[in-house]
Amino acid sequence: MKNNNEQRPHAILIPYPLQGHVNPFVHLAMKLASKGFTITFVNTHSIHHQITKTKPDGSTANGTDDIFLEARQSGLDIRYATISDGFPLGFDRILNHDMFWDGVLHVFSAHVDELVAKIVHSDPPLTCLIADTFFVWTSVIANKYNLVSVSFWTEPALVFTLYYHMNLLTSHGHFACHDKREDAIDYIPGVDPIEPKDMTSYLQATDVTTVIHRILYKGYEDVKRVDFVLVNTIQELESNPILALQENQPVYAIGPVFPTNVTKPIVGSSLWFESDCTQWLNTRPPGSVLYVSFGSYAHCTKNDVVEIAHGLSLSKVSFIWVLRADIVGSDEVDFLPVGFDEEVKERGLIVPWCCQMEVISHQAVGGFLTHCGWNSILESIWCGVPLLCFPLLTDQFTNRKLAVDDWKIGVNLCDKKLVTRTEMAAKINRLMCGKSGDEVRKNVKEVRKVMENALSSNGSSEENLNCFITYVKLKTVKFHKITA
């Protein structure tokens, strides 16, 4: 029995400490555990504290501080650990953005190293390190403890490829240059010509000395040294960049990793209390509700929020608007127009947070005004919901290109820098009631079929995941022989 345990892969999973990264890591943990892996899942103390404080009794739904207890009771070997991110719980990570991420860049790896040292000889022994691509130390720590090193990228392959080739963008004058070129970029392997405006916000930036840029530089130096790269995407939807990346190292498209048969996950990983919108949605006709959410991280200006509110009011469309308390900033609390709540109370529901899959899978929802976060796009495709696209930062501009230009499952909210209430109302009605809305709705169904096929037993995502697991097991056996 001990010998069997020794051959069982044991992976430690470490997500980036943001909601949009924690969720796909949780889903990947569940997938790997269901295929015979032992998993040790690691959250920071801060993320864990945010998860537990959203529950009414101050604990997770199962009454303990172990978010994977219910998963373990179902037979999955998923262990749970928390470590410091280098800052006290009361430290405001939003207001002190640069200081926090500088700490993650320079200090966090020491806490990871300490944990790995403690559990590397557990039963079964630790054999694999799966860390977010934004971490800069994955290959270093994996090599130190003789572990298989895996980088998990939670965004599309196109974005990964652009970052992967920052050196080319720089040498051709499209990035990190005083006089940046504005013509199309046509030299990135596996990427069709792309406009500079469709690159991520960090690749469009004029100041490339920020802490985020330092993370990107170091992270993409490290990712080229790992054993495997997993990408939360679908091979058929991004075949060219994936094939080009595979010329350099093993890259597997395994997405989407979220469970497709449930809308309410058994592992609670939300950082905010989730409002239940089901009763309100049950009173609305099919396809009549616009869901509005800008995700867990992006921020709007107060002017944007005001114009969006007026646009929703002018559109006369029913809506659910997820409006985080910090959407404008930690210190800005009064940002809605005076009288807005009263004006839309008959057809609008404003909540601070909700279970997104539960809402957009409801038959009453007919459209999604989104910041174009990658998780949101994948979930919308699965639920057959067309998009009204309003990218705000990071990968969202590139994701918008994929959704609107390549797959044609969404409509641009605005082509200008500033959104206006009249354009907002017109685009909402175009998506919810117009012919173009019907067209993108049809396209979403077609892309959903591609996703569904990829997740089938002989589909590309399933086969890629199984192929990755086979290679990890082979490497695990070799490592055991080396260290025996």
Side-chain angles (χ1 to χ4, degrees):
M1 185 69 180
K2 185 174 175 57
N3 186 56
N4 289 338
N5 261 348
E6 286 177 351
Q7 305 307 314
R8 181 183 176 92
H10 180 178
I12 182 170
L13 269 66
I14 311 175
Y16 217 54
L18 292 170
Q19 181 78 84
H21 294 248
V22 171
N23 286 354
F25 264 84
V26 167
H27 302 323
L28 179 61
M30 299 286 284
K31 271 188 179 271
L32 291 175
S34 70
K35 290 180 177 289
F37 272 63
T38 291
I39 300 293
T40 295
F41 191 98
V42 182
N43 269 331
T44 64
H45 295 328
S46 174
I47 291 291
H48 176 70
H49 177 69
Q50 285 182 260
I51 291 171
T52 55
K53 77 176 184 180
T54 65
K55 310 306 174 187
D57 62 352
S59 69
T60 54
N62 52 49
T64 78
D65 61 0
D66 185 344
I67 66 173
F68 287 98
L69 179 61
E70 192 174 339
R72 210 161 43 251
Q73 289 172 340
S74 72
L76 302 179
D77 188 3
I78 306 181
R79 299 139 191 209
Y80 187 52
T82 62
I83 58 176
S84 172
D85 60 13
F87 295 90
L89 287 179
F91 180 79
D92 192 320
R93 289 154 177 80
I94 297 172
L95 281 179
N96 300 288
H97 176 276
D98 288 3
M99 187 188 301
F100 172 63
W101 291 115
D102 204 50
V104 171
L105 173 61
H106 294 292
V107 178
F108 187 60
S109 61
H111 300 288
V112 175
D113 195 319
E114 184 180 6
L115 176 65
V116 172
K118 285 180 181 176
I119 67 171
V120 69
H121 297 301
S122 56
D123 184 17
L126 193 62
T127 54
C128 181
L129 169 63
I130 304 178
D132 197 291
T133 304
F134 280 116
F135 286 129
V136 303
W137 38 257
T138 303
S139 70
V140 175
I141 292 181
N143 289 340
K144 179 177 180 179
Y145 295 99
N146 205 23
L147 306 175
V148 179
S149 57
V150 183
S151 185
F152 181 35
W153 180 244
T154 61
E155 297 171 11
L158 175 57
V159 175
F160 184 95
T161 305
L162 292 172
Y163 286 143
Y164 200 88
H165 294 289
M166 282 185 286
N167 61 325
L168 285 180
L169 291 168
T170 301
S171 65
H172 284 78
H174 279 107
F175 172 62
C177 304
H178 287 298
D179 299 313
K180 286 193 297 182
R181 291 168 54 180
E182 295 299 327
D183 57 322
I185 298 153
D186 60 1
Y187 47 81
I188 303 296
V191 176
D192 291 334
I194 183 171
E195 297 294 328
K197 69 178 178 62
D198 292 325
M199 293 202 297
T200 73
S201 62
Y202 301 128
L203 293 177
Q204 295 185 49
T206 52
D207 180 6
V208 296
T209 63
T210 71
V211 63
I212 301 300
H213 285 90
R214 282 182 277 131
I215 288 170
L216 285 170
Y217 291 138
K218 288 181 176 290
Y220 274 85
E221 285 174 12
D222 185 78
V223 78
K224 293 171 184 178
R225 296 191 289 264
V226 300
D227 295 309
F228 301 102
V229 177
L230 301 179
V231 186
N232 189 23
T233 192
I234 300 93
Q235 187 160 321
E236 288 80 2
L237 295 180
E238 297 198 88
S239 57
N240 289 338
I242 291 168
L243 287 171
L245 287 165
Q246 287 170 341
E247 294 290 316
N248 302 311
Q249 63 195 117
V251 177
Y252 296 95
I254 61 167
V257 293
F258 57 71
T260 56
N261 57 345
V262 291
T263 55
K264 197 78 170 176
I266 66 169
V267 179
S269 58
S270 175
L271 305 186
W272 294 277
F273 173 77
E274 294 178 341
S275 301
D276 188 351
C277 305
T278 307
Q279 190 173 348
W280 187 89
L281 284 167
N282 287 343
T283 67
R284 307 288 151 170
S288 66
V289 175
L290 177 72
Y291 175 67
V292 185
S293 176
F294 303 131
S296 59
Y297 182 66
H299 292 85
C300 297
T301 66
K302 184 173 181 177
N303 182 72
D304 284 340
V305 173
V306 168
E307 291 301 308
I308 290 166
H310 285 303
L312 288 168
S313 180
L314 288 170
S315 74
K316 305 302 180 187
V317 167
S318 297
F319 64 89
I320 290 177
W321 190 358
V322 175
L323 205 53
R324 297 191 333 263
D326 67 343
I327 189 69
V328 174
S330 296
D331 52 354
E332 182 78 58
V333 293
D334 187 20
F335 40 74
L336 283 173
V338 175
F340 175 72
D341 289 349
E342 185 66 23
E343 189 178 336
V344 300
K345 67 178 182 180
E346 298 300 325
R347 58 183 176 84
L349 179 65
I350 301 174
V351 296
W353 198 247
C354 67
C355 176
Q356 183 162 284
M357 278 289 271
E358 195 173 55
V359 171
I360 63 174
S361 63
H362 195 285
Q363 64 172 359
V365 174
F368 184 177
L369 170 52
T370 175
H371 65 311
C372 296
W374 188 236
N375 292 328
S376 292
I377 288 179
L378 292 177
E379 291 168 3
S380 298
I381 293 170
W382 185 255
C383 295
V385 177
L387 306 170
L388 184 54
C389 297
F390 183 44
L392 296 168
L393 79 166
T394 68
D395 60 317
Q396 296 155 20
F397 299 95
T398 313
N399 300 348
R400 180 220 60 82
K401 178 201 179 300
L402 289 171
V404 175
D405 300 340
D406 296 2
W407 306 332
K408 305 188 187 311
I409 60 171
V411 174
N412 265 336
L413 174 58
C414 57
D415 296 312
K416 306 186 296 290
K417 288 289 183 185
L418 297 175
V419 61
T420 64
R421 62 192 70 181
T422 52
E423 186 174 19
M424 166 74 71
K427 291 289 179 69
I428 289 173
N429 283 301
R430 179 178 160 192
L431 182 75
M432 299 297 288
C433 315
K435 286 186 178 179
S436 57
D438 294 337
E439 188 66 27
V440 293
R441 201 165 279 109
K442 175 186 171 186
N443 293 337
V444 172
K445 289 179 181 176
E446 292 301 315
V447 177
R448 204 266 192 189
K449 287 179 186 174
V450 175
M451 184 182 285
E452 197 172 1
N453 289 338
L455 291 171
S456 65
S457 58
N458 59 350
S460 60
S461 291
E462 185 69 11
E463 288 189 346
N464 287 340
L465 183 61
N466 289 335
C467 186
F468 161 73
I469 290 170
T470 298
Y471 280 120
V472 167
K473 287 180 177 178
L474 285 172
K475 275 187 170 284
T476 298
V477 171
K478 288 179 182 176
F479 284 179
H480 277 308
K481 287 179 179 178
I482 291 170
T483 57

